[in-house]
Amino acid sequence: MSTQASAGRRRSAVRWFAPVLLGLVALVLWQGFVVATGIKPYLLPSPTAIVDQLRQVVPLVWSAALATGLNVLVGLLVGGTAAVLAAILAARSGMVDSLMSPTAAALSVMPIVALAPALNTMFGTTSTTPRRLVVSVVVFAPIFVNTLRGLRQVQPVHRDLLRAYAATPRQISRTVTIPGALPYFFTGLRIASSTGVIAAVVAEYFGGLQNGLGSRITSAASNSAYARAWAFVLGAILLGLVFYLATLALERAAARRTGG
Amino acid sequence: MTDLATSTSAPVGTPAAPQRARSGRGRRVAVGLLAVVLLAVLWELVKLVVPDTGGHVLGASVLPRTDDVAMPHVWTIGQRMLEPETSAVGSPTVLSAMLQACWFTFRVALAGWVLGSVGGFLVALLMQRWTVAESALLPWVVLSQTVPLIALAPLVVGWGGRIHIGSFEWQRWMSVALIASYLAFFPVAVGALRGLQSPPAAQVELFRALAAGWSRTLLGLRLPASVPYLLPALRLGAATAVVGAIVAEVSTGTKGGIGRMIISYAQSASGDPAKPWGAIVGAAVLGLVAAGLVSLLGLGLGRYRHAEVS
Amino acid sequence: MSTDAGTTTHSMAAPGAAAAVVARGIGKTFSSRSGEVTALDGIDLTVAAGEFVSLIGPSGCGKSTLLRLIGDLDQPSTGELRVFGKSAQAAREAQDYGIAFQQAGLLPWRDVAGNVELPLELHGVGKKERAARAAELLTLVGLEEFAGHFPHQLSGGMQQRVAIARALAERPSLLLMDEPFGALDEMTRERMQTELVRICAESGAAVVFVTHSIPEAVFLSERVVVMSPRPGRITAVVPVRIAGERTEGLREDSSFFAAVTAVREALHGSGAIPTGTARGVDLR
């Protein structure tokens, strides 16, 4: 019993220790490589140089991350709402489904960010709307697909049971369909939040407003301020992490509630 | 809340499966065409209903400008694609220039996809073989998939023309392919690992009982079992490789590809509004074609794919 | 063919004395890719109020289909079905029966008490009353300590007991049970059977019980309805005459073995099917 417990502890220690160690080793190697070879910063700046820069530009990174983060948030809200409504319609009507499902599948493999320059023309280059629209379209597919899957996964035994109880359609939604679909929705939301952050950053590469992380990265890179560009990249990575962890927490909470 | 009672009308049973699959494919094409037509109708409807100056709510523009510069008519876009790209003598049509650019991007994305998929698969093998490797690598792989690593694209650009190793010179398109490859890498690594680990304990124990070694178990069990996971991962990898290639072209300024073409056409949008839409259509089709080609890979693997997992 | 005991169609006219279930000439066909499949044909059956009747037969004999018709989860293609003198649909809408399936079918996001309360909640019973009734039912099935647990924290047998408590929540005068113990191990199963006998005696409900275990059918029922497949028909009705109470001791009683033998012979000996096809019957 006790050996088993200690084996379990050792395993979980490895699980935590191994990736941290690997990360540290990679950082040290990176630093050592840059120092030893004297490689030019336009190829690869050292981690210390990046952190140094980050410390200097923290307020800028913060405001840029806020701007990009807001775009992601608005895009998630708009695209997510549309996706959930579409999934509800598709679950109810076979016709909507046979139109929406292939469209979502197609959307998910198209480079949506390519729309950014045209949207800039349509909404104006000083508007944040094009980026938010790009994020909305990008997050639509994963949320739609997962929510629809959730709405569909009602077990036959639950369906029979609620029919036996002569439950009204509204009651069926409230007691079975919606609670069952929630974890799927949150899974879709988690996937969408990652692709949403990526889309929001990348959409800025296509011109338009110069207030977000993506624009800062490109302008720093074109000014040969490579360590600073890396600092903004770090900011983008942290933003991605924030969204990922927030949605992961939501997903876990939903799964725990449903005993998953 | 709306009621979802009728949400249970999932298709029941699949009589005459092969026949249905064929008619299903025909239907999907029809639905695709219908979706395109609906999109065009919607486009024209927005043009008709929304005022030319667009719509603003609290200072944020929520409705697009709908004049012919911002939103050219669908038929204008179609027409423009068949006209010459520039006024220069012998200039190709926008369509053929676009196809050429797509072909360029396609090849770069393909190089990146192959590189990323092979790398992703090897890393998955490594993680399947040694638990320590999985503990050390998997969190990083998952994390990399969730953070915008593509933000690095403008930085990898700097490598173009600046790295010389012997007679080898780092080309710009290689930066693009490299970015495409690391976008393809992560989904394939994760999908392949899930697939390789998918056989249930009973099957793994059967192979152990038959005294099959790691490589025999890999070839006889894990590899076939990984197909339903691997194919969607490769498809996703192809789509992200195309996105990566386009984004990389934009941020590297690599000429010749569809990404650069979208930017340069967009810059002339005020004088030639229909032109950029031609390039955007090209990019969309490129994504579909790339994913579709990977799906073709699955045609010969029918019996391994009974339960595809996305 | 059919050996329907007693009650005639006249009883349908008098709702006060209505039998729990009256089926006359029930047939059910499903259409599938290979054409029409007759699941049930010419079913005549009456279940008296308070009576425990088991439906037994090999896989595909339509016993579950018959149960689903009684519960108005499917509709018969032909024939007439009365539940307490009403149509099956009216009986379902009036909540005249409780139902339990082979899978417990608990909602994973509700705790045990919440699952038992589900039918009461759907039918507008007040919060306080619901809680009291759930506590009472959980005591009845011996799970009063698990009210706050979630289904995935319970064993299969405990989940099934929750499902039975849920089926009893509205004090139905008819219980429909579709192999409710089918997924349980033998020991749990026997304990559950004993409990079910006790619970039914207390509630006085009629039960239609689908099973493919001969000893289970015999132990529980007053009559065992034996069915044969393709098309699903009733081939025999075996009355089980047991003197005294049905307790654990019954399992070793000679009258129990005699009834088991009678049912087994009815299953195997029915002329409609060759002897081999009865292999689907569980002879535990």
Side-chain angles (χ1 to χ4, degrees), chain A residues 28-51:
Chain A
V28 169
L29 283 181
W30 178 357
Q31 181 78 24
F33 176 74
V34 172
V35 172
T37 59
I39 198 168
K40 293 284 185 300
Y42 61 76
L43 289 178
L44 195 66
S46 68
T48 47
I50 295 170
V51 171

Side-chain angles (χ1 to χ4, degrees), chain C residues 56-91:
Chain C
I56 196 168
S59 306
C61 71
K63 51 194 192 297
S64 290
T65 306
L66 180 55
L67 187 94
R68 292 176 61 84
L69 295 182
I70 298 171
D72 191 38
L73 300 176
D74 278 316
Q75 282 72 45
S77 310
T78 57
E80 194 189 4
L81 190 61
R82 290 272 160 190
V83 179
F84 294 110
K86 302 173 231 176
S87 72
Q89 187 185 351

Side-chain angles (χ1 to χ4, degrees), chain B residues 174-195:
Chain B
M174 293 179 187
S175 301
V176 177
L178 186 69
I179 292 161
S181 80
Y182 71 49
L183 283 191
F185 169 86
F186 299 110
V188 174
V190 171
L193 179 64
R194 274 173 61 199

